[in-house]
Amino acid sequence: QEFVLQASINTNRMLGRVGRNIVNQSQHVQKLLQVPGLQKMSQKWSSEWVDLYGVQGSPYTRKIQSALRYKKIPFSQHNLMPGDIMGDWEERGFGQIKAKVIPVIKYSDGTAQNDSTFIFENVEKRYPSRPIVPQDPLDSFLALLLEDMFDEWVTKVIFGMRWLKEKDQNWSGVWLMYDFQMGTGQPLEKCAEMGRMFGSRQVGRMKIVGCDNPEVVSRSFDTFVGSLERHLAYGSLCILGSTPTIADFALYGQLSQLVVDRTPDE
């Protein structure tokens, strides 16, 4: 009992110190924000800040995340499942978006849109610094062409790798739901059950996506990564030169999934 009492006293003291430190730091921050230069910076951030809605298991969400970071656009990440699976698109203000695909980006002026290609187009207009669309017409065409290929074809590879085999089906649905439900208080067993349900939905979409042939998926994967390896072996930092373009971010989005899924990781 004495031990428990002393531990309780020590914990309260520690929490008291933590609380005082938080208050002191908050007051310090408030004083800092009175500095004219920092006030201007704070106003700039608030006018540029965007909200990104999606999930880490979405190559298109990761694609937009990486581009926003490269362009140094401050953003907050929020979980949002595609297809209005959780029934929360309306309450988030996205009911008017007809194709319920992620990510969705909400700008500081309150407007929102989805489809990563069109998000890139809009972001480039709103935030022209650190451009991701080349100025040269030929390079711009190639960047757009490659972005489209990575979005529409390489995604068949990652979708096939993720859902074709039973071991991948068992793994993918559960980890995707664990990630989505993180911090929500959902029991792990409930997350696993929801993950298996989501996985069954995805498996049923294999033919629609166009990746229900294991041989084609595997051969396409080997051809693609082999070509990429040979291209980068010549010393190019990015696909079209020394700085990244929309093609690099689209590729990153797909590869970000291949490195965590079971079969391609092996």
Side-chain angles (χ1 to χ4, degrees), residues 4 28 57 79 112 195 210 215 221 229 235 250:
V4 172
H28 183 59
N79 278 344
E215 183 184 350
F221 175 72
E229 179 75 15

Side-chain angles (χ1 to χ4, degrees), residues 73-93:
I73 301 171
F75 70 95
S76 299
Q77 177 71 43
H78 310 273
N79 278 344
L80 182 69
M81 291 290 279
D84 203 11
I85 294 172
M86 311 302 291
D88 56 349
W89 280 61
E90 186 71 40
E91 67 183 62
R92 291 175 181 266

Side-chain angles (χ1 to χ4, degrees), residues 173-222:
V174 174
W175 94 255
L176 288 171
M177 197 55 64
Y178 277 165
D179 175 72
F180 178 73
Q181 296 291 342
M182 189 179 297
T184 64
Q186 284 279 6
L188 292 181
E189 297 79 8
K190 184 69 174 178
C191 289
E193 179 185 343
M194 294 170 65
R196 285 187 285 271
M197 290 173 58
F198 177 70
S200 297
R201 171 189 180 271
Q202 297 299 85
V203 171
R205 298 181 66 240
M206 296 285 286
K207 196 170 186 65
I208 299 173
V209 175
C211 54
D212 55 331
N213 186 320
E215 183 184 350
V216 171
V217 169
S218 179
R219 188 170 69 246
S220 179
F221 175 72
D222 291 339

